[in-house]
Amino acid sequence: MTLRSHLWSTLLLLACVATARLGAAEPAPKAPVAGDPHAALYSTAGRFPSATTCRPCHEAQYRQWSVSMHAFAELSPTMEAQSAEIVRQFNGTIGVFCTRCHTPTGTTAGEPAKLPNSQRSKVSLEGVTCVVCHRINTKYGKVVGNLHLVEGDQFAKVYGSWDGKVVADTAKAAGIATAPGQQGAQMHATADFFEPLTSSAFCAQCHEVINPAGIHLQDTYSQWVGSTSAREGVRCQDCHMGPAPGVKSAYPMGPAAVLPDGRKTPDRPLSNHMIVGPEVPAEHPGVFPHGAGANKGISSDGDDKDKLDELLQAVDDKFLSSLTSDDWWHFDYRAGWGTDEFEKAAKGKDYAFPPLWKDEAKRRAAGEFVRQNLALIKEAETRRALLFRNGVKIAKLDVAPTHAVDSSLSFSVRVESLLAAHNIPGGFPWFRQLWLHVQVIAPDGKVTWQSGDLDPVNDDLRDGFDNRVMTGDAPYDLQLWSSQAFLTERGEHGADRSVFFPIATDGDPTAFLRPATAPASLRGKDNGFRIDQSKVLPPLGHRTPDYHVPRDAFQLTGTYQVKADLRFRGMPPYFYNNFGLYRNVRFVTEAIVEVDSKTSELKVEAGK
């Protein structure tokens, strides 16, 4: 190190220490307390109506949205943990960078970035709620969620993808209240057509993420701009909000609104507000879809809805909505609490229920509520699986038909993208896992060799992020093929290494996030942190990994099977575990998508 660089490093470190000490004297941001004169500034009341306000006329859209990742955006435990960690590591200088996309209403209302979800407003916890998309009247483009939402109560104008004249006509004909003080069901007085809402650029407001240091964390929209899909006019909405996930197809026709008196607006193309993507809600099904008690009866009609209402009458209609996240986590729905089978078996037994759940009537109401939510979650997961099965496949498993006993084998598997819009995986590619699980199965049914299997202890792939691989307790999977990207940081001695989280841990003495002083193009290198996407699957591209199986896998004669399974999950277990979210990991492992599968028979003969 030269004297000049040493001086600069010392000065930066001293400045860091001094400013950190100054910052340490400031109290952490807190939610306003009762009686606080500033409480109104943080309130969303009268400024942004809840999605439940829209539900009476838009039941179908509400039901779809309630189980979407948009609705889960702020409730997500990984989002809350990541945001808090980034704010902590950068001493708050990152501001509301994360939450302004995950809870735009809360950010607009002034909720601090580190405010825990337990203290956020109801509308804030709805994440990307109705008004986040339908109360924007300005074309922003790639602004990383830095949006201005038009404020107003439920009567204020909304903006949509269709001519809104029908709104005023319908309200007048049905006697709907469109202003305070009027009698009848309440709704917005007018709705204007907003063209940007129909374009992919609208999605880019949050799905193109460049952090303050200039690192392109998500470039899904940029990929789409240069894609075949863009040239052919296929928008984000066509694949993620259409009737067939991943494929542009004709939208179904129907009324956008059904009024409380049964009147319907004229038929028009209907988009699906589940907006399926790569992730799943890793949360107790009592908490989500969309918060405890908020969605009573959303997943079912008729008898199921009546059943839940009947069960609630035995306790309290507000019982479900009074439950906290921790209350729900003490409800063991996996054991069957609240079902006829469990409750009959539990009678007369000294079952150690938590105090809140000792009452059978409460367990039965909660059990029915969870059952209906699980049915809705399953519906969303089915659409998610279709998204991937329509987007990628195993094109070829190239294995010779015969093989000699006690000899090694080489073969390849070709994975092809059917998607023309963007890379696979999309979104944040460093924690999306699309991988091949390849097995050699002997004539006696035993697996004699495999790659891409999960660590039996923690369900991670056996790569460099598996804790047991790092400690030497599990073998490294040298032949693993995965299209996962990697966050790569440059250490203080110039070597690169992969990290699981987008914060550099080596070689930077500054404790505050500041913009780069010079563009990377002038120095011929990045700013010390980059995303390695060399293994991702490009649009309409392919990858053909080779596999080499040792001779000890073929010790029997007869017919072997070489099986390749293409699998996907939105986030690896190590990501949850590194944040201490141990109770949430199971949901990720249970939601692995079996995308495609191919099997080839291999006749192993003696002396071949």
Side-chain angles (χ1 to χ4, degrees), residues 464-599:
F465 292 106
D466 182 348
N467 287 332
R468 295 200 332 119
V469 168
M470 288 188 277
T471 58
D473 296 316
Y476 192 96
D477 190 346
L478 294 172
Q479 300 194 58
L480 172 66
W481 180 83
S482 168
S483 68
Q484 182 179 2
F486 292 96
L487 294 165
T488 303
E489 69 170 356
R490 180 168 294 114
E492 57 186 0
H493 297 295
D496 286 351
R497 76 168 187 176
S498 295
V499 293
F500 87 98
F501 194 55
I503 294 179
T505 56
D506 288 344
D508 187 357
T510 58
F512 290 83
L513 183 66
R514 297 186 177 91
T517 55
S521 58
L522 293 181
R523 300 183 298 168
K525 62 179 181 179
D526 56 71
N527 294 320
F529 203 93
R530 60 189 171 85
I531 300 178
D532 179 0
Q533 299 200 56
S534 59
K535 294 184 178 181
V536 302
L537 198 58
L540 300 178
H542 69 274
R543 302 290 186 197
T544 309
D546 295 319
Y547 292 93
H548 307 283
V549 184
R551 59 191 295 179
D552 58 9
F554 302 100
Q555 296 301 305
L556 300 177
T557 58
T559 302
Y560 282 70
Q561 288 186 330
V562 179
K563 189 171 187 287
D565 294 303
L566 187 62
R567 314 181 80 193
F568 176 86
R569 63 182 171 194
M571 197 173 287
Y574 67 74
F575 205 86
Y576 285 84
N577 292 332
N578 279 316
F579 285 111
L581 302 172
Y582 308 114
R583 69 185 187 183
N584 304 89
V585 175
R586 188 172 180 179
F587 294 100
V588 178
T589 303
E590 291 174 340
I592 290 176
V593 177
E594 303 297 342
V595 181
D596 199 6
S597 181
K598 281 194 181 299
T599 302

Side-chain angles (χ1 to χ4, degrees), residues 49-53 55 61-73 75 121-130 281 283-296 298 321 328 369 373 376-377:
S50 163
T52 56
T53 306
R55 179 183 178 183
Q61 291 86 346
Y62 179 89
R63 179 178 181 274
Q64 294 162 0
W65 166 85
S66 70
V67 74
S68 72
M69 295 311 295
H70 273 185
F72 193 61
L75 279 174
S121 69
K122 175 186 175 182
V123 178
S124 174
L125 290 177
E126 291 179 359
V128 184
T129 188
C130 306
E283 184 56 276
H284 191 289
V287 178
F288 188 84
H290 186 3
N295 297 335
K296 182 169 70 70
I298 61 168
S321 58
W328 276 113
F369 176 69
N373 278 354
L376 185 56
I377 290 171

Side-chain angles (χ1 to χ4, degrees), residues 4-39:
R4 182 178 181 181
S5 61
H6 178 76
L7 285 171
W8 273 114
S9 296
T10 303
L11 287 171
L12 284 170
L13 184 58
L14 289 172
C16 162
V17 172
T19 50
R21 286 177 177 172
L22 287 172
E26 298 179 5
K30 297 179 179 179
V33 297
D36 184 346
H38 302 96

Side-chain angles (χ1 to χ4, degrees), residues 134-156:
H134 294 284
R135 284 278 186 86
I136 292 179
N137 63 0
T138 303
K139 187 175 182 179
Y140 288 102
K142 298 187 287 185
V143 293
V144 197
N146 198 9
L147 309 170
H148 170 70
L149 305 182
V150 179
E151 297 187 19
D153 58 20
Q154 65 267 38
F155 301 113

